[in-house]
Amino acid sequence: MSQEVFQQLVATTTGVLLLTAILQVWGRSLVRSIGLLAVQGAALAGLAFTVGFHAGEPQASLVALIVLVMKSVVLPAALLRSARLTGETRERPAALNPAVELIGAAGLTLIAYIVGTPLVGDNPDPARQALPVGISLVLLGFWLLLIRRSAITQLIGFLVLDNGIATVSFLASSGLPLTVELGASLDVLLVVLILGVFVVRMQRQQGHSDITELKELHD
Amino acid sequence: MNLVDAGLYGLLGSATVAIVMAIVLTGRVRNVIAGLAVLATGVAAALTGLATLLGYSGTGLAIPVALPLVGDLDALVLAPDRLGGFFMLLAGLVIAASALFGIGYAHGPAASRTGWTGFAAFALGVVLVPAAADAITFLLAWELMALGSTVLLLAEHATRQAVRAATIWYAVMTHLSFLLLLAGFGVLINAAGGTSWARMVGIAEPTASLAFALLVAGFATKAGLVPVHVWLPRAHPEAPSHASAAMSAAMVKMGIYGILLVTLRLLPNGPSWWAVVLVALGAISALYGILQASVQSDLKRLLAYSTTENVGLITTAIGVGLLLHQSGQHAAADVALIAALLLALSHAAFKTVLFLGAGAVLHATGERDLDQLGGLASRMPITALTFGVGALGAAALPVTSGFVAEWVLLQALIHADAKTDRLLAVVMPLTMGVVALTIGLGLLTFVKAAGIGFLARPRSQAASEASEVGFSMRLALLGSAGLTIGLGLIPGPLSQLLAGAVGASGIATTGLTGLELGGLGVVVLNPLALTALTLVLLAGVLVVNGIASRRHPRREVELPWGCGGERTSPRMEYNATSYSEPLARVFGGSLHTRRSVEVEHPDDAPLLVSGIEFNQETVDLVEHRVYLPAARLAERFGDFARKLQNGSIHRYVGFSFAALLLVLVLVTR
């Protein structure tokens, strides 16, 4: 893979990652959010493959395949199933209006680029140059956790956060070893499956899955 | 192995036996065996202390504990010096008397496995504090003492609500004390590069002043000086009486030991403001304590406030001693320091009697409110006699130790030359005034305690049905009362021994038992001779009285207010509240007494009176002006914190998000 192609591929995949994360903040439809998550997963898999292949990692395609299956197929499917079971299609009305949410997202991306400067330094490596995208994904995932009320979108926010962490690790270490990626993915899968069950239970008990109602502290 | 080491092994062994026996045995047997083992601990400690005072010194008993925090610092060693020996003697005697009393007294939760284990651990802690030769051992023993006493205090928590509140106050103040000590010793250890007392010498200013401030604040909290006395009047009444006696007479003295340790041994020759601080703390505590004591009607609460008074006097004496040393009047200074030790020993003796006596009364009547007592002298003769001796001691009247101690203190104050030094010219007369006023108020207070409690006619059913307490309790009472009188009659030899503990000279025995303060000119006190003289004179009076009464036989005197009906009822007697009424009025400004009179009228006749109710309660000014506002402030802070924690998941995520952003920004800055 030539340096130019590598640069293009990294720019494309990280661009798609950032775009899908921003679009998550914009919309309200659950199905669309889950679709965006699948696209983001595919972009992450592409990034994993690009970086790993470029670094000459022998298991790069295997890691990319695991990421693709997990983040683009299994997890979105699990979320979709939970959403179907609860019957929710749209996010509940939020405390902030969409414009403020988007401005916040833009600000966070800006912060990510500012705080990422020392990590990037004057390293010409395109993978290094794209590192702030990972940080902004983490921050945007947090942002989703903060501004969304439905339990399913909370899960989506959590997954965006996790994608951010994965992005940073791919970009910073030029491809992850198989075992590490496998372990991390299984952890996330477990969390999502458990929370999926939890969301359905919550829906059955309360008639909604709004986490702002979960305020009682029990000791 | 010499006497001191043997004594230390003895006390460690018997305390272990006490704890094991308290756990293994049950019922009445536990009281006897565990009580005797604690008694043995006390006796071993007293003997160790006495041996140290007589000039034996131990080889240093290293404690084989591998504490990770000790590291390359000095080993943990038990090796009491003479000052420590004196306090071991004092604490050992008190513990022995309380344990003996506890054998008969402890019942219910106080006689439980926890109760006796707590008492044994507490006793071990108290006697080990003055034996420690380094800061870590000191703090370990200190905590053992604090934990043991907290457990003892909690004994009756299940049945009485007040116990829990008292324990919380006590635990908070104890921890405050420990934290201050930890900080103070930390400063010293850091400056000295070692934990043993021997290494902590020659520490320069301002480190020395910082350590002094922290340590004295910590020790004052344990000693119960104003304004950190608030736990005393709560904890002492609620603890079982043998524990109150040990806490008030022995544990509080460890605060005094600490102050002496700091000012005489670790940081000698400090600046004069240290001494002034001690005098001021002591004088305020003495006055405030005795004022509060004089208006209390709860017997044990009264005794607790009197503890604050006595500790105040002791601290004043220490301060005066340091101040006089600084102005070069070493003879008078030595006398003041001896006075401090004598006051401590005397207070230990008579406060043990008084608290044990109060315990005996509580045991026999279930009452500790003086307004419900009375007439106990004929039903509990031994208790009344010994309590009377204790009251004499507390009122500093002759033939008791209290008189000797306060006499020595006054000699130091009188013979100090205040003309040359401006500071002395201000401090000495004021101190003398405070001591005089304290002695006067003390007299009134203890006339009330003994008179209202034991004389006249019973004011309640319980008091009229009281009977004398059991053998072990009487023995403990007689023993400690004997000590009070013994110290009062034979002060000479002991004072001479004590002189070694504070490095004083010019203290000598005169005659067989008298006390001569040679450094101050010819100042001699010979109580034995005085007592003999008094007895001879008294014999003359008795003879004359006897002859007179034979000539004019006693006539029945009818009181004028009987009105032909029932002659007198107990309700006509003076009680504790009415006796202290003039005091409450004279010192109303500083006591903040709350009075309310409620008059009830029959429904159909508003001019007639069917009942009158009078209530009076004294408020602890310090508690109301300092502690409750502080507690309210803490509560407001807690409310604010509660607002942060509203249970919303979004808020918690927001907190961590904000923290993440902050860290990121800080890292890249």
Side-chain angles (χ1 to χ4, degrees), chain B residues 142-436:
Chain B
W142 189 269
E143 267 309 86
L144 188 63
M145 176 174 90
L147 286 177
S149 53
T150 312
V151 170
L152 274 178
L153 185 54
L154 264 177
E156 290 167 23
H157 74 97
T159 47
R160 286 186 299 132
Q161 195 68 40
V163 171
R164 293 185 208 173
T167 311
I168 290 174
W169 275 90
Y170 176 61
V172 168
M173 295 311 281
T174 291
H175 274 95
L176 180 71
S177 157
F178 184 73
L179 280 181
L180 288 167
L181 294 188
L182 203 59
F185 281 126
V187 168
L188 281 184
I189 292 169
N190 188 36
T195 55
S196 72
W197 299 152
R199 272 220 243 171
M200 293 179 191
V201 283
I203 288 167
E205 292 288 342
T207 317
S209 281
L210 177 64
F212 170 83
L214 287 169
L215 289 172
V216 164
F219 287 129
T221 309
K222 193 49 124 187
L225 291 172
V226 175
V228 277
H229 66 289
V230 283
W231 63 271
L232 277 175
R234 288 166 181 278
H236 287 336
E238 301 306 337
S241 292
H242 61 299
S244 336
M247 281 167 82
S248 171
M251 184 178 77
V252 163
K253 296 298 178 311
M254 292 309 142
I256 297 296
Y257 168 66
I259 292 176
L260 282 171
L261 178 76
V262 172
T263 52
L264 293 184
R265 189 163 177 196
L266 300 183
L267 305 166
N269 310 319
S272 57
W273 69 266
W274 293 10
V276 176
V277 163
L278 288 180
V279 172
L281 262 183
I284 291 171
S285 307
L287 264 187
Y288 187 82
I290 196 63
L291 264 181
Q292 286 285 351
S294 65
V295 294
Q296 299 299 327
S297 53
D298 180 330
L299 182 54
K300 286 175 85 175
R301 208 170 150 85
L302 180 152
L303 295 178
Y305 272 117
S306 142
T307 301
T308 294
E309 173 230 338
N310 281 285
V311 168
L313 280 180
I314 301 170
T315 315
T316 310
I318 298 174
V320 167
L322 297 178
L323 205 56
L324 288 174
H325 262 308
Q326 265 140 21
S327 72
Q329 303 184 37
H330 298 297
D334 285 348
V335 173
L337 289 177
I338 291 290
L341 296 191
L342 281 175
L343 279 168
L345 191 59
S346 140
H347 177 246
F350 69 70
K351 199 43 76 67
T352 311
V353 186
L354 290 175
F355 261 117
L356 295 185
V361 170
L362 191 61
H363 189 77
T365 65
E367 281 289 349
R368 50 173 218 250
D369 185 355
L370 281 172
D371 290 347
Q372 304 294 327
L373 296 172
L376 296 175
S378 54
R379 290 171 188 82
M380 307 172 70
I382 301 289
T383 310
L385 178 73
T386 49
F387 193 92
V389 169
L392 279 182
L397 288 177
V399 307
T400 63
S401 55
F403 173 72
V404 174
E406 301 209 5
W407 180 84
V408 175
L409 175 60
L410 283 173
Q411 293 306 322
L413 289 172
I414 291 168
H415 286 88
D417 179 12
K419 289 187 274 298
T420 49
D421 192 329
R422 234 176 253 165
L423 188 60
L424 285 180
V426 176
V427 171
M428 289 297 145
L430 278 178
T431 313
M432 211 175 312
V434 167
V435 173

Side-chain angles (χ1 to χ4, degrees), chain A residues 108 111 114-115 118 138-139 142-143 145-146 148-149 154 211-212 214-215 217, chain B residues 645-657 660-661 664-665 667-668:
Chain A
L108 288 175
I111 290 179
I114 294 171
V115 301
V138 171
L139 295 186
F142 248 123
W143 186 237
L145 288 180
L146 271 180
R148 293 291 188 247
R149 295 170 63 183
Q154 291 287 313
I211 60 155
T212 49
L214 300 179
K215 268 195 177 177
L217 286 177
Chain B
Q645 303 258 3
N646 69 347
S648 153
I649 297 171
H650 279 118
R651 182 163 292 192
Y652 296 126
V653 173
F655 286 151
S656 36
F657 187 47
L660 175 70
L661 279 183
L664 280 177
V665 169
V667 163
T668 48

Side-chain angles (χ1 to χ4, degrees), chain B residues 292-632:
Chain B
Q292 286 285 351
S294 65
V295 294
Q296 299 299 327
S297 53
D298 180 330
L299 182 54
K300 286 175 85 175
R301 208 170 150 85
L302 180 152
L303 295 178
Y305 272 117
S306 142
T307 301
T308 294
E309 173 230 338
N310 281 285
V311 168
L313 280 180
I314 301 170
T315 315
T316 310
I318 298 174
V320 167
L322 297 178
L323 205 56
L324 288 174
H325 262 308
Q326 265 140 21
S327 72
Q329 303 184 37
H330 298 297
D334 285 348
V335 173
L337 289 177
I338 291 290
L341 296 191
L342 281 175
L343 279 168
L345 191 59
S346 140
H347 177 246
F350 69 70
K351 199 43 76 67
T352 311
V353 186
L354 290 175
F355 261 117
L356 295 185
V361 170
L362 191 61
H363 189 77
T365 65
E367 281 289 349
R368 50 173 218 250
D369 185 355
L370 281 172
D371 290 347
Q372 304 294 327
L373 296 172
L376 296 175
S378 54
R379 290 171 188 82
M380 307 172 70
I382 301 289
T383 310
L385 178 73
T386 49
F387 193 92
V389 169
L392 279 182
L397 288 177
V399 307
T400 63
S401 55
F403 173 72
V404 174
E406 301 209 5
W407 180 84
V408 175
L409 175 60
L410 283 173
Q411 293 306 322
L413 289 172
I414 291 168
H415 286 88
D417 179 12
K419 289 187 274 298
T420 49
D421 192 329
R422 234 176 253 165
L423 188 60
L424 285 180
V426 176
V427 171
M428 289 297 145
L430 278 178
T431 313
M432 211 175 312
V434 167
V435 173
L437 182 56
T438 309
I439 294 176
L441 289 172
L443 184 62
L444 279 177
T445 306
F446 284 94
V447 165
K448 177 177 89 173
I452 305 287
F454 290 89
L455 304 180
R457 288 166 61 180
R459 293 178 183 78
S460 67
Q461 186 78 18
S464 63
E465 288 165 1
S467 60
E468 187 58 280
V469 290
F471 174 70
S472 79
M473 292 196 247
R474 272 178 292 166
L475 200 61
L477 281 168
L478 284 172
S480 38
L483 198 63
T484 312
I485 293 213
L487 290 174
L489 288 180
I490 318 173
L494 184 77
S495 307
Q496 224 176 338
L497 267 186
L498 297 190
V502 287
S505 57
I507 315 292
T509 308
T510 173
L512 272 177
T513 61
L515 173 63
E516 183 181 357
L517 308 175
L520 303 180
V522 189
V523 179
V524 178
L525 175 69
N526 198 341
L528 207 56
L530 278 178
T531 311
L533 192 67
T534 313
L535 285 180
V536 170
L537 288 178
L538 207 60
V541 172
L542 284 177
V543 169
V544 171
N545 197 23
I547 295 170
S549 69
R550 190 163 295 175
R551 223 172 262 173
H552 304 285
R554 187 188 156 107
R555 287 182 294 134
E556 284 291 313
V557 180
E558 297 292 331
L559 289 176
W561 53 72
C563 294
E566 189 195 349
R567 289 182 34 83
T568 49
S569 95
R571 289 176 61 83
M572 292 177 180
E573 294 170 357
Y574 257 108
N575 62 16
T577 313
S578 53
Y579 186 85
S580 57
E581 178 69 12
L583 276 179
R585 284 191 187 277
V586 171
F587 294 100
S590 43
L591 282 172
H592 278 240
T593 331
R594 283 186 195 151
R595 285 190 203 88
S596 64
V597 180
E598 280 175 27
V599 183
E600 285 171 33
H601 306 282
D603 289 337
D604 49 346
L607 292 179
L608 295 180
V609 174
S610 63
I612 300 181
E613 196 178 322
F614 174 80
N615 270 314
Q616 172 174 316
E617 61 174 326
T618 16
V619 177
D620 194 318
L621 204 59
V622 179
E623 196 177 303
H624 265 252
R625 293 280 159 82
V626 181
Y627 286 85
L628 294 186
R632 272 198 291 276

